Amino acid sequence: MPPSVDRRGSARGVRVEVLARRGGAAANRVPPALSAPSHRRVARATAGVALGLLVLGPVRPATAQARTAAAAPGAQIWAARYNGTANGAEMLFPGGTQSVALSPNGARVFVTGGSSGRGSGVDYATVAYRAATGARLWVARYTSPGRRADSATAVAPSPDGARVFVTGWGEGATSGADFVTVAYSAATGARLWVSRYNGPANRNDGAIAIAVDPSGTRVFVTGTSEGATIGHEAYATAAYRASTGALLWVKRFSGPAAGDSNATALALSPDGATLFVTGRSAGRGSRTDYATVAYRASTGAQRWVGRYSAPGRSDDEAGSLAVSPDGARVFVTGYSSTPDQSPQYATVAYRASTGARLWARRLAGAGDRPAFARSVALSPDGARVYVTGTQGTVAYNASTGAQLWVRRDSGFVGGGSTPAPAVVVSRAGAQVFAAGTSHGSRSGEDFRVVAYRASTGAPLWAASFSGPGRRDDVVESAAVAPDGRSVFVSGISIAAGSGPDFVTVAYRA
């Protein structure tokens, strides 16, 4: 069913447990875990800019109630809801359909996702908030020419903070689902350009991740695109000119065995010269494997492919990717099944220049609980790798893969293709924040954020959020403010009378 978005007042039912008093500093955003849209149709590549019909939501007075940040870390600062134009239901595609990011100066928070519209099926909805207070600054909506179904999946600001870019998928008038990437003015929400990619077979295509190069001149998106044979899916990665949306190049990757290949994440090297894409790819005799591809960012020329297959040659799916600050190594995490199909965390390190595997580490679930890793992040100095998922958070030595600590949090739920926790690290590197979904007490599922001491894994504080209807609240994305004072968590919250809404919560870090 199509999603919906509109605003409500601050949510209640917040539970905060302060385990220790400690501040933090800024951090990187980790892209959410992903999966391709349930109905993707591939089509032929379209170079240039396709301008669709925009419905720009009116900029209404902010409905988030700003709260004075308490001294205690983990205290809620504000919560903001958005309930769209049609009071419908959010589109909860597997892997998450909502993304949060901050402007480089930390002044604005951007949230995007799918939202049911009036007479337009489902639209992109992108909302900007004032980071300090949660006051809504603007809302921008986009619907494809076919006015049927569109869902944004990822958002990224330009390095200078002047623009914000959103990608996802939207049904064309004759082509089914295409990649749709939209650029907005970060200050006003005015739409600057729209570009669509319709793969070679005119079937379903869905973008799932986005990145902007350090110079701010190019925007990269990746996702999944169907081929000429039904059921044969490939990675599709596209580069656009950031100023105009002009298509610069498109590359497809399907691995050694035609079939199930789904891109799930991308990241750029710090110098912007190399683009890395990961996901799952059908292998020969190994079901699906991790497949990580490195491209020359300027041309799309493939540099290398690194594959990882479980010892039992069962299903493996990478869900998150990070590059070391010096650009020397690439880290991929996800889940990898044992011969009896029991999922485990699997984290792999590659040499960024050649794709040579440096190490691989696995973490089994405790008891009979499956272990789905969905997010990876690095310490600012590149010395540690942090992975989180349904079994908690684990830290590795980035050079050797030696496990430094593991903290199992039984509160997080999710697995397979459902949203699972995200991990972000403070810019100073002192704290690690894991955000996910937990079972509440008589409140369905709730947001949950846990802060750990980065060096030891000692828990510092934990906070939960339950919406006004005390129904399900599902985390889909997280980010840390550049000044290190706040952690932002965004997802879906079901409210009485409006169905699922976007909800974004800010906590004192």
Side-chain angles (χ1 to χ4, degrees), residues 49-276:
V49 181
L51 294 178
L53 179 63
L54 168 70
V55 180
L56 180 64
V59 180
R60 303 171 184 165
T63 56
Q65 295 179 359
R67 304 183 180 189
T68 302
Q76 181 181 308
I77 302 171
W78 54 260
R81 300 184 72 90
Y82 175 71
N83 176 31
T85 60
N87 203 37
E90 294 300 335
M91 298 183 78
L92 293 175
F93 288 116
T97 57
Q98 198 186 70
S99 178
V100 62
L102 275 83
S103 60
N105 66 1
R108 296 184 182 93
V109 180
F110 305 102
V111 176
T112 199
S115 167
S116 57
R118 295 185 184 276
S120 58
V122 183
D123 308 331
Y124 282 24
T126 304
V127 188
Y129 299 103
R130 193 175 304 282
T133 65
R136 190 189 303 174
L137 301 174
W138 53 259
V139 177
R141 299 181 66 88
Y142 169 82
T143 184
S144 291
R147 300 182 68 79
R148 290 184 290 173
D150 306 270
S151 186
T153 56
V155 59
S158 61
D160 64 2
R163 300 182 182 197
V164 61
F165 303 94
V166 173
T167 200
W169 62 272
E171 292 194 16
T174 60
S175 63
D178 305 330
F179 284 17
V180 181
T181 304
V182 188
Y184 297 105
S185 163
T188 67
R191 193 200 305 175
L192 304 175
W193 54 258
V194 177
S195 192
R196 302 179 71 93
Y197 168 71
N198 180 14
N202 206 38
R203 296 184 186 275
N204 286 328
D205 313 286
I208 195 68
I210 191 168
V212 186
D213 74 358
S215 69
T217 60
R218 287 171 294 192
V219 178
F220 302 92
V221 303
T222 198
T224 301
S225 175
E226 284 187 321
T229 303
I230 294 176
H232 285 194
E233 299 171 324
Y235 296 11
T237 303
Y240 300 98
R241 193 175 306 283
S243 58
T244 64
L247 182 65
L248 301 174
W249 54 258
V250 176
K251 298 297 177 181
R252 298 174 66 84
F253 170 82
S254 58
D260 185 9
S261 292
N262 301 111
T264 57
L266 87 170
L268 279 160
S269 60
D271 63 3
T274 306
L275 178 70
F276 303 96

